[in-house]
Amino acid sequence: MLVAVLAAGLAGCATVYNLPGNVPLGAALADTGSASDLPDYQDDVLLALSFSGGGTRAAAFSFGVLQELDRARSGVSGTKTLLDRVDFVSGVSGGSITAAYFGLKRRAALDDFRERFLLRNAEEGLKTRISLGNIGRALGGGVNDSQFTDWLDHNLFDGARFDALPDERRPRVWINASDIYNRTSFVFGKTSFDALCSDIRSYRVAEAVAASAAVPLAFAPIVLETYPGGCAAPLPRWLDQVRKDPNAQPLLRSYAEAQARYRDGSMKYVKLLDGGLVDNYGLSGISIALLAAQRPYEPLSERQAVKLRRILFLVVDAGRGITGDFVQTLEGPNGVELVSAAADTAIDSSVRSSYAAFTALANDWNGKLRRWRCGLSAAERSRLGVGANWKCSDVSFYIERLSFEQLGPERAGLLNAIPTRLSLPAEQVDQLVAGGADALRISKAYQSFRRGL
């Protein structure tokens, strides 16, 4: 009881928060037209990756997948690998660290990511001890504020801003956080920042990654400021249509309502925490794009849709192993265990349903895409530059979830025992990297995709 009273007193005098790091959209950029966060690279392959949350263990497991992609030659000349053909990468929490670094450095990320992040102690600047002071900070907004952002900026991202992730260059990167007021995903990209009337190009990559990994209580929310009236370009028309549709999908509706609130002035600040709270696979963004599609080929462009022959979407899942021993005693879980167990339960239950929903949605879209292609008239095919040997049905879609379980019970048990921390021993890091590479190598969907190239 005394501890609770002291903690309450500490919370009353210890307010922890982050200052907004985004700036208004400049006048020259105020009418930039429709927003797009999806890649528009027009070749015959679409290769997309989604990296789950899970601290350094997720970052290492997803890094192993990148290494294995770089071992697979692609194209007649054999000078490129599949890593060069990654169009799109989405990341959550620990997975967003790998996604952002790969997006910035591409193949060069393979040279030093292990040393610059995976083997480093990213917790060195964080307050991690359980103490009265930290309990007070947790109750006052979060134990840590900008420490992790600054660590990432100085040690990994070198001050990079989103303008270092240009739209015309592979891969397109999505970093996912959770908007805890609107209870929906927040994707760091042009669409959401246009709704804020804010400039995504000048925003720090490190701050977006820190938002994606901001575990409740351990971190104070990352804050964005809205600038209503700061831009004249209207929101996409489909957002208003969704808000007026009583039968709209709940995922789509919550996203549309959030975008409207960013723009209309009803929210002064957006508060962001760990993306895993809403979607630990980073699938909400692409699911929303598919649900919002007005035409059968969307969210692709027409020319992109007719050229495609192979689509591979890999969900790289580092999982969240079962922890704690409170089931062996009548007492417990204690306060810390209770918060952790509640968050893990919510995240695990949501990812199972989100993956099943995404798979069904993607397969339905694949059918629509095939029917649209086969329904094109001769004039439309000519307009889109379709050759004489083009086959409308020649488009294959593969979805695969890569996880520890694919490596067998013994190895999966070993990897699941590794904690979801931001600091791991080198031996465990290398086990996870090797696990990611092996999970991809033995994937049947991946093997089929490669045979089709």
Side-chain angles (χ1 to χ4, degrees):
M1 183 66 180
L2 178 60
V3 171
V5 172
L6 288 172
L10 287 167
C13 61
T15 301
V16 184
Y17 60 90
N18 288 299
L19 296 173
N22 62 313
V23 299
L25 195 62
L29 300 172
D31 293 300
T32 54
S34 61
S36 176
D37 291 317
L38 289 164
D40 189 24
Y41 316 119
Q42 295 175 17
D43 59 10
D44 65 348
V45 170
L46 179 62
L47 177 52
L49 309 173
S50 185
F51 296 155
S52 82
T56 296
R57 95 175 197 172
F61 192 62
S62 56
F63 184 64
V65 171
L66 295 181
Q67 286 189 331
E68 184 60 26
L69 286 171
D70 197 43
R71 296 186 184 105
R73 293 293 162 186
S74 171
V76 177
S77 65
T79 57
K80 288 189 175 184
T81 72
L82 283 179
L83 191 71
D84 299 304
R85 301 189 75 173
V86 174
D87 297 290
F88 167 77
V89 57
S90 178
V92 178
S93 196
S96 73
I97 302 171
T98 310
Y101 197 67
F102 170 54
L104 288 168
K105 300 194 68 175
R106 295 179 286 178
R107 179 185 281 128
L110 300 184
D111 298 335
D112 60 3
F113 185 67
R114 179 178 179 272
E115 288 69 30
R116 293 195 70 181
F117 179 75
L118 296 178
L119 298 184
R120 295 287 302 276
N121 178 13
E123 297 178 5
E124 61 188 355
L126 302 179
K127 297 178 174 66
T128 58
R129 285 192 316 110
I130 296 177
S131 65
L132 287 180
N134 282 346
I135 291 173
R137 290 177 64 86
L139 296 176
V143 175
N144 298 282
D145 40 47
S146 63
Q147 294 98 318
F148 189 46
T149 301
D150 295 339
W151 189 95
L152 288 169
D153 214 23
H154 296 151
N155 293 287
L156 189 63
F157 295 121
D158 302 317
R161 312 269 169 165
F162 271 82
D163 61 2
L165 296 167
D167 293 349
E168 67 276 7
R169 192 188 79 177
R170 283 185 173 99
R172 186 71 64 88
V173 177
W174 280 6
I175 297 170
N176 301 267
S178 297
D179 174 345
I180 56 174
Y181 180 78
N182 290 297
R183 304 170 195 171
T184 189
S185 290
F186 184 95
V187 180
F188 283 88
K190 180 173 169 54
T191 301
S192 293
F193 269 65
D194 277 2
L196 297 168
C197 289
S198 183
D199 180 15
I200 182 66
R201 302 178 312 160
S202 63
Y203 194 73
R204 287 191 296 169
V205 173
E207 197 158 0
V209 171
S212 182
V215 177
L217 299 184
F219 295 94
I222 296 295
V223 180
L224 297 171
E225 187 168 355
T226 66
Y227 296 100
C231 53
L235 293 172
R237 184 177 301 173
W238 68 264
L239 288 172
D240 190 51
Q241 294 172 346
V242 167
R243 296 177 66 210
K244 293 176 180 177
D245 181 3
N247 299 314
Q249 289 275 358
L251 174 65
L252 197 58
R253 175 180 288 279
S254 62
Y255 176 82
E257 292 287 359
Q259 300 295 303
R261 291 186 185 112
Y262 300 160
R263 179 62 71 87
D264 67 16
S266 60
M267 293 177 63
K268 178 62 177 173
Y269 300 105
V270 181
K271 308 292 179 74
L272 304 173
L273 284 174
D274 193 322
L277 296 173
V278 173
D279 171 21
N280 204 44
Y281 284 167
L283 298 175
S284 290
I286 188 66
S287 295
I288 288 167
L290 291 172
L291 289 169
Q294 304 292 299
R295 299 175 180 85
Y297 55 81
E298 290 180 345
L300 305 178
S301 68
E302 284 185 284
R303 292 187 179 276
Q304 195 178 16
V306 296
K307 288 186 177 181
L308 276 177
R309 295 182 61 245
R310 298 292 179 267
I311 304 170
L312 175 63
F313 203 110
L314 294 172
V315 179
V316 184
D317 178 15
R320 301 174 70 87
I322 293 176
T323 59
D325 59 358
F326 53 82
V327 294
Q328 306 301 332
T329 64
L330 181 62
E331 301 83 9
N334 62 36
V336 174
E337 291 174 329
L338 187 61
V339 171
S340 177
D344 288 347
T345 299
I347 289 171
D348 276 5
S349 62
S350 69
V351 296
R352 286 190 289 268
S353 58
S354 71
Y355 181 71
F358 173 74
T359 301
L361 185 61
N363 286 327
D364 179 63
W365 173 77
N366 186 35
K368 292 178 182 176
L369 179 63
R370 283 172 178 264
R371 290 191 292 273
W372 171 78
R373 284 164 54 115
C374 292
L376 290 172
S377 66
E380 288 171 322
R381 292 197 300 271
S382 176
R383 175 176 62 85
L384 295 171
V386 171
N389 297 323
W390 178 75
K391 297 179 181 179
C392 67
S393 61
D394 185 15
V395 53
S396 300
F397 192 26
Y398 306 94
I399 304 175
E400 182 77 298
R401 171 179 162 266
L402 305 178
S403 67
F404 298 164
E405 285 67 33
Q406 291 164 297
L407 304 172
E410 183 177 349
R411 197 171 175 191
L414 182 70
L415 296 181
N416 262 320
I418 297 174
T420 53
R421 299 285 300 270
L422 289 170
S423 175
L424 294 175
E427 178 184 3
Q428 292 183 340
V429 165
D430 291 337
Q431 288 171 347
L432 289 159
V433 172
D438 291 344
L440 177 60
R441 189 181 305 115
I442 64 178
S443 161
K444 291 183 179 179
Y446 176 63
Q447 292 169 1
S448 297
F449 170 77
R450 287 190 62 187
R451 283 195 297 270
L453 292 176

